[in-house]
Amino acid sequence: MKTDIDTCPIDLFCFSGSTSNSEANRPILSFVFVQKIVSSGDENKDGGLDFNEFNNYLKEHEKKLRLTFKSLDKNNDGHIDASEIKQSLEELGMDITKEEAQTILQSMDIDGTMMVDWNEWRDHFLFNPAHNLNEIIRYWKHSSVLDIGESIAIPDEFTEEEKTSGGWWKQLAAGAMAGAVSRTGTAPLDRVKVFMQVHSSKSNRVTLLGGFKQMIKEGGVASLWRGNGVNVLKIAPETAIKFMAYEQYKKLLTPEGGKVQTHQRFMAGSLAGATAQSSIYPMEVMKTRLTLGKTGQYNGMFDCAKKILRKEGIKAFYKGYTPNMIGIIPYAGIDLAVYESLKNAWLSRYAKDTANPGILVLLGCGTISSTCGQLASYPLALLRTRMQAQATLEASDKSTMTGLMKGIMANEGFFGLYRGILPNFMKVIPAVSLSYVVYEYMKTGLGISK
């Protein structure tokens, strides 16, 4: 008999989660998991499972689960406890607390002994097509796929298996494409943000709607995407440099054979972000100049670079560099701290049956942490943008970082440092949604298993 996922009754995939008859331990698989099981066991690729294929899937999957169980069972006593889960995740570069390890354990512990034997382990994962421990712990990786226009967050961790198999570059490529689509989709909001940061003041108030009207009147609807090309082009080199630098800084900061602590990850991530930003910073300046440019002022990125070099010299490509570097620390630190706090809060309060929070929780945590990071570093981002745009400003507005800050505080007050924050926040949700959807499609296209 052939089983097709579109026609079979869902009860076929509702299996007892324990050797007892307890209904509380009966997991119901989602349609996504059903699809994954079918794709994993479908040997002849006809879109369904017959009895032999399903039987072979169970046998092969059980073998992989047995190997994973043995790798976790450090003392070979036939049981896994919280300390063994904690140790195994630390070896994979994921630092968790004892309480978090106990939460993961409780999601599998059927008899309440705070230990998991082979039967409990097998019954918990048998109909979840996660092939190894690396896939099981990926739930809570702080994903860099959530591109909201700033590239100074701490990079993702990759397991040794991902590094040796080449899976890391596929994930980076999928993330870069997701970022390109996300930035293009939210480019009008990004341009009006920059316009408000540079030109809005108490005496010349620029509203969101007014900014859009001015830009469309000056250059038409297409002008809303001015500067987006260079903003997309810089994703690939920045991502690659940040990833390579992050791996090197981790090696320098971590004792040989030791695990990466949270503070070391923060330091390595901040240094990697600074290295990547230093390498591509001239593109940041060109993006700002193109964004603020009038119709016909620049004939593309290279023309912009030539005009800046000829009129202002090489130093102009690093205007605003200091506030940009300083802004990395509060952004990366707060982003990481808020995400870890939200993750721990969810695990301690809601993770009773599973350690998997679901995509809405993950996206929510990532969005909130990134927004908090932006909120803390926004005044520095505004100073950076104004310094990058100094050639387009009046002579009286040209100043050093401290001079600019004093001038803004004196003339506009504290909230003058947050000009343009509204369109910046407005683009967060569409940017996150676009980047996640594209990332998932790219992962499928590149053959990356979740």
Side-chain angles (χ1 to χ4, degrees):
M1 179 182 121
K2 178 64 83 174
T3 299
D4 186 88
I5 61 172
D6 294 321
T7 57
C8 70
I10 195 66
D11 288 342
L12 182 63
F13 289 95
C14 300
F15 297 91
S16 177
S18 74
T19 53
S20 70
N21 292 323
S22 172
E23 289 297 318
N25 291 318
R26 181 182 289 271
I28 298 179
L29 300 186
S30 71
F31 187 71
V32 174
F33 276 174
V34 173
Q35 286 182 310
K36 287 184 177 181
I37 290 173
V38 172
S39 62
S40 297
D42 187 14
E43 296 171 3
N44 57 9
K45 305 301 178 186
D46 64 349
L49 292 182
D50 59 28
F51 179 79
N52 288 331
E53 287 174 328
F54 187 62
N55 192 44
N56 290 339
Y57 162 79
L58 293 180
K59 288 179 180 178
E60 288 301 312
H61 196 51
E62 188 167 335
K63 285 179 186 177
K64 293 171 184 175
L65 290 175
R66 173 73 75 174
L67 290 173
T68 305
F69 182 84
K70 287 182 176 179
S71 71
L72 281 167
D73 185 14
K74 302 296 183 183
N75 57 6
N76 295 315
D77 65 349
H79 294 85
I80 299 171
D81 58 28
S83 64
E84 288 172 322
I85 290 177
K86 188 175 186 296
Q87 181 183 345
S88 296
L89 296 187
E90 285 172 350
E91 289 172 359
L92 288 168
M94 190 173 182
D95 190 20
I96 66 169
T97 65
K98 185 178 179 182
E99 289 72 24
E100 289 171 335
Q102 288 174 340
T103 300
I104 294 172
L105 187 73
Q106 285 171 348
S107 70
M108 297 177 277
D109 181 23
I110 295 171
D111 55 14
T113 59
M114 287 306 293
M115 290 191 295
V116 174
D117 60 22
W118 161 241
N119 289 328
E120 289 172 318
W121 175 265
R122 179 196 60 202
D123 291 343
H124 185 81
F125 287 112
L126 189 57
F127 295 106
N128 178 347
H131 293 154
N132 50 51
L133 183 62
N134 295 342
E135 291 187 16
I136 293 166
I137 68 167
R138 279 182 195 149
Y139 292 143
W140 280 106
K141 286 176 72 172
H142 188 177
S143 180
S144 59
V145 63
L146 305 181
D147 190 301
I148 58 174
E150 298 288 344
S151 302
I152 53 178
I154 292 174
D156 269 351
E157 295 284 343
F158 292 105
T159 64
E160 289 303 318
E161 181 189 351
E162 287 171 326
K163 292 173 190 174
T164 54
S165 67
W168 64 272
W169 74 261
K170 291 183 179 180
Q171 292 193 41
L172 289 180
M177 180 58 70
V181 174
S182 169
R183 293 185 187 193
T184 301
T186 58
L189 285 167
D190 188 66
R191 189 176 182 222
V192 79
K193 176 197 78 174
V194 174
F195 196 83
M196 292 171 72
Q197 284 179 329
V198 175
H199 295 303
S200 183
S201 64
K202 274 189 176 180
S203 58
N204 180 37
R205 190 175 297 276
V206 179
T207 63
L208 180 68
L209 189 59
F212 277 126
K213 285 181 177 178
Q214 279 184 254
M215 290 187 292
I216 293 172
K217 184 179 179 180
E218 188 275 328
V221 175
S223 70
L224 297 177
W225 277 265
R226 195 171 288 165
N228 182 59
V230 68
N231 196 33
V232 168
L233 279 175
K234 69 186 177 71
I235 294 174
E238 185 175 15
T239 302
I241 292 168
K242 185 161 68 171
F243 169 69
M244 290 185 288
Y246 182 57
E247 293 300 315
Q248 294 304 312
Y249 285 128
K250 278 198 304 182
K251 289 177 183 177
L252 288 172
L253 294 170
T254 309
E256 191 172 346
K259 65 185 182 71
V260 182
Q261 303 287 347
T262 302
H263 71 278
Q264 291 168 331
R265 182 170 176 245
F266 167 66
M267 290 174 62
S270 298
L271 288 169
T275 302
Q277 283 281 299
S278 299
S279 303
I280 58 93
Y281 194 77
M283 297 180 78
E284 291 276 4
V285 175
M286 285 188 285
K287 178 243 178 185
T288 299
R289 295 292 181 89
L290 287 164
T291 299
L292 294 169
K294 297 185 182 299
T295 302
Q297 184 175 352
Y298 300 115
N299 187 24
M301 183 176 72
F302 293 108
D303 181 57
C304 177
K306 283 193 292 184
K307 286 181 177 176
I308 293 173
L309 186 63
R310 187 171 63 248
K311 293 180 181 178
E312 304 170 61
I314 193 73
K315 286 184 179 179
F317 288 106
Y318 281 89
K319 284 184 176 179
Y321 179 79
T322 301
N324 188 67
M325 291 298 107
I326 297 172
I328 288 174
I329 295 172
Y331 182 96
I334 291 173
D335 181 30
L336 180 63
V338 172
Y339 186 83
E340 290 296 316
S341 299
L342 292 172
K343 178 189 78 172
N344 294 337
W346 189 91
L347 284 170
S348 62
R349 188 169 298 181
Y350 299 109
K352 296 175 182 176
D353 300 318
T354 177
N356 182 2
I359 189 56
L360 288 178
V361 174
L362 285 176
L363 288 179
C365 291
T367 301
I368 292 169
S369 64
S370 297
T371 302
C372 290
Q374 279 198 331
L375 193 62
S377 62
Y378 192 84
L380 288 162
L382 181 138
L383 294 174
R384 174 199 68 195
T385 303
R386 286 204 177 182
M387 292 176 74
Q388 289 172 342
Q390 280 184 350
T392 67
L393 300 174
E394 299 294 330
S396 59
D397 290 328
K398 298 179 183 180
S399 181
T400 61
M401 182 181 79
T402 53
L404 268 176
M405 179 174 280
K406 287 177 181 177
I408 293 170
M409 292 288 288
N411 297 325
E412 305 176 50
F414 175 76
F415 291 105
L417 295 170
Y418 284 88
R419 296 282 184 197
I421 194 82
L422 177 60
N424 192 64
F425 281 161
M426 285 177 65
K427 72 175 186 173
V428 169
I429 293 177
V432 167
S433 304
L434 278 171
S435 57
Y436 176 74
V437 170
V438 175
Y439 183 71
E440 288 300 308
Y441 274 107
M442 286 298 298
K443 280 175 65 178
T444 302
L446 292 170
I448 306 172
S449 60
K450 186 136 179 168

